[in-house]
Amino acid sequence: MNIKHLQVFSAVYETGSVTRAAETMHLSQPAISKSLAALEAEIGYSLFRREGTGLQPTPEANLLIEDISEFLHGFEQLTASFKRAGRGDRGLVRIAATPGPSLGFLPGLVAEFMRQNPRTNVSLKIRNSASIRELVATGNADIGIADTGLQSPRYDSQPHRMVCLCAVHRSHPAAALDVIQPEDLAGTNWITLGQEHETFHQLASAHQQAGVQFNSTLTVDSSIQALLMVELGAGAAVLDPLSIRLFTTRNKRDNRDVVLKPFQPTIYESIDVHSVNARPMSAAARSMLLYILKALDA
């Protein structure tokens, strides 16, 4: 059954005239009459009878109009859904990220993306880097943000290198400096992400070159933990800008006790943004990926 024939039937039923139906649908009168005749021939009975200058629906037409109107409304919604899906504003986007980006960087970004794409569903999971790479490789996540690691043909990767900031308690003398150097924190305990993390080795090298002892006394699993420990006066830390975003947003509201300053020599932290290639990405996932990459480059 031709959808156009049903649309013509509905227009004629609502207007009571081939002429007005043609005007409504921007078609010629012969096209309306031909379509209506084709529908009647297909179903085997008449839908309208002529009375004066207009058309009156038959009892059969009166029985059909409600179902046909409901069907056409559903068809219009489906057509609109196809268009929204093509624009990337409908669908499911699955993101997996390490704790820092998950808590500091992504919440605001995802919230803004969903405001712009209100019919898109987003799943955000916190995982370690190895799990993130496996989720993306197997197609169980569309996008992953992880510490820099092994590249693989099982997913696409885009590296990003970030300049870290130094976090100290506001009571520390170094909090008043414009730039903090290793000698400014002599005798201060350092809170780190462990010896396997790239920032640890850069810090150790910076202290060695400055001739200052590197006191790494507290190891934590995430930059968010490190920030909380700095706030409690447990030491200093160098942290990536993605994790710091949570703190800087809350700091404006809560007047917290952590001060962030540039550190010299510069300490870098690298991340990889992974995307699935085991299957085609949805339009929504592609839009989210571009949104993330643009924010990282800002």
Side-chain angles (χ1 to χ4, degrees):
M1 187 168 289
N2 192 315
I3 188 73
K4 182 63 72 175
H5 294 167
L6 298 180
Q7 291 170 330
V8 166
F9 163 75
S10 178
V12 173
Y13 188 96
E14 295 297 331
T15 63
S17 164
V18 168
T19 301
R20 288 193 291 272
E23 293 172 352
T24 299
M25 298 188 69
H26 305 289
L27 296 172
S28 67
Q29 293 183 38
I32 295 291
S33 297
K34 183 178 179 181
S35 181
L36 191 58
L39 178 59
E40 291 177 331
E42 183 175 358
I43 61 178
Y45 49 83
S46 297
L47 294 169
F48 297 94
R49 62 178 182 272
R50 183 169 295 280
E51 289 189 5
T53 59
L55 295 176
Q56 291 297 321
T58 63
E60 292 83 1
N62 288 327
L63 289 173
L64 290 170
I65 186 59
E66 184 175 348
D67 288 342
I68 290 177
S69 296
E70 184 177 341
F71 171 79
L72 290 175
H73 178 68
F75 180 77
E76 290 173 359
Q77 289 186 317
L78 180 61
T79 300
S81 294
F82 275 116
K83 292 178 180 179
R84 284 192 295 269
R87 293 195 303 266
D89 60 1
R90 183 171 186 176
L92 172 64
V93 182
R94 296 170 298 178
I95 306 170
T98 51
S102 290
L103 298 173
F105 169 64
L106 286 171
L109 200 69
V110 169
E112 179 60 28
F113 181 83
M114 294 186 72
R115 279 192 289 270
Q116 297 180 19
N117 304 275
R119 293 179 63 84
T120 297
N121 297 319
V122 177
S123 168
L124 177 56
K125 295 181 178 181
I126 300 177
R127 296 289 188 271
N128 62 40
S129 293
S131 296
I132 291 166
R133 286 188 280 270
E134 185 62 22
L135 284 171
V136 177
T138 56
N140 290 306
D142 301 297
I143 302 166
I145 301 179
D147 295 335
T148 293
L150 296 175
Q151 304 301 304
S152 170
R154 300 171 66 202
Y155 45 76
D156 296 327
S157 301
Q158 299 191 50
H160 285 266
R161 194 184 192 201
M162 305 174 293
V163 175
C164 294
L165 292 175
C166 183
V168 296
H169 194 273
R170 67 175 180 177
S171 64
H172 195 289
L177 301 174
D178 292 330
V179 178
I180 297 176
Q181 298 178 344
E183 50 267 35
D184 300 319
L185 297 175
T188 300
N189 295 327
W190 278 96
I191 305 161
T192 71
L193 299 177
Q195 295 186 24
E196 69 281 0
H197 199 270
E198 62 177 319
T199 57
F200 183 94
H201 301 289
Q202 294 177 65
L203 271 175
S205 176
H207 280 73
Q208 183 179 17
Q209 292 177 16
V212 178
Q213 183 176 351
F214 179 43
N215 299 317
S216 175
T217 57
L218 177 59
T219 301
V220 295
D221 285 334
S222 73
S223 297
I224 303 300
Q225 289 176 302
L227 271 172
L228 293 173
M229 297 306 296
V230 172
E231 184 181 20
L232 293 170
V238 289
L239 303 168
D240 68 273
L242 301 189
S243 303
I244 287 170
R245 290 195 186 191
L246 175 65
F247 163 77
T248 53
T249 301
R250 294 180 61 188
N251 191 41
K252 294 175 183 177
R253 182 176 69 247
D254 299 340
N255 191 28
R256 300 177 75 177
D257 292 329
V258 177
V259 175
L260 300 168
K261 293 295 178 73
F263 187 83
Q264 287 293 333
T266 302
I267 305 296
Y268 296 98
E269 182 169 349
S270 301
I271 60 168
D272 289 332
V273 179
H274 303 300
S275 54
V276 63
N277 65 15
R279 54 172 173 75
M281 292 184 74
S282 68
R286 289 196 304 271
S287 295
M288 185 76 245
L289 177 61
L290 292 175
Y291 208 70
I292 290 172
L293 294 175
K294 183 178 179 180
L296 288 173
D297 290 335

